[in-house]
Amino acid sequence: MEIKSLLQLGRGIWGNKRFSLAQIIILFGKVLGDLCRWERGSKQDQATHTEAELKKELGNIIFSTIRWCDDLGYNPEECIQAAIDCQKKFHDNSEEDLQK
């Protein structure tokens, strides 16, 4: 699926309500907390710690972040490209450090 299609789908689900950065941080924290709880592995949580649940939480991060970029007035594709460029540069510099 294309990013533009995912954004349209997200808007179809959640409507045109826009979240502020503060609200986005709280929402992201909720999903991050779910991942942390999954990794912690408490007995009380183990029944819900399935591969399907982990995949869902990772999907929530991807799917929601596309909409959150738009909420803040950013083109999600440009945000993704900036991240790709940054990670490539970081990796290239890390590889040089490893070879020294």
Side-chain angles (χ1 to χ4, degrees):
M1 226 182 248
E2 292 185 12
I3 301 301
K4 184 189 288 188
S5 298
L6 292 170
L7 177 57
Q8 290 172 345
L9 182 58
R11 289 282 169 230
I13 294 169
W14 295 99
N16 287 320
K17 178 176 175 34
R18 308 288 173 153
F19 290 108
S20 68
L21 180 57
Q23 292 169 312
I24 290 168
I25 291 167
I26 291 166
L27 294 166
F28 187 84
K30 193 271 183 214
V31 178
L32 181 59
D34 290 345
L35 288 172
C36 290
R37 196 167 29 262
W38 201 95
E39 180 59 24
R40 181 181 62 193
S42 291
K43 287 181 182 181
Q44 66 196 30
D45 296 328
Q46 287 179 355
T48 60
H49 291 169
T50 62
E51 188 171 311
E53 180 69 15
L54 182 56
K55 287 168 59 174
K56 179 199 71 156
E57 293 301 340
L58 292 171
N60 278 333
I61 291 171
I62 296 165
F63 189 49
S64 295
T65 302
I66 290 168
R67 194 177 73 257
W68 296 337
C69 289
D70 186 64
D71 286 352
L72 297 175
Y74 299 122
N75 178 323
E77 291 178 358
E78 290 176 8
C79 293
I80 292 168
Q81 188 59 56
I84 292 167
D85 295 345
C86 180
Q87 288 187 27
K88 283 181 179 178
K89 183 177 178 182
F90 181 84
H91 178 265
D92 291 346
N93 290 337
S94 296
E95 287 295 310
E96 290 174 12
D97 289 342
L98 292 174
Q99 293 174 4
K100 290 181 184 178

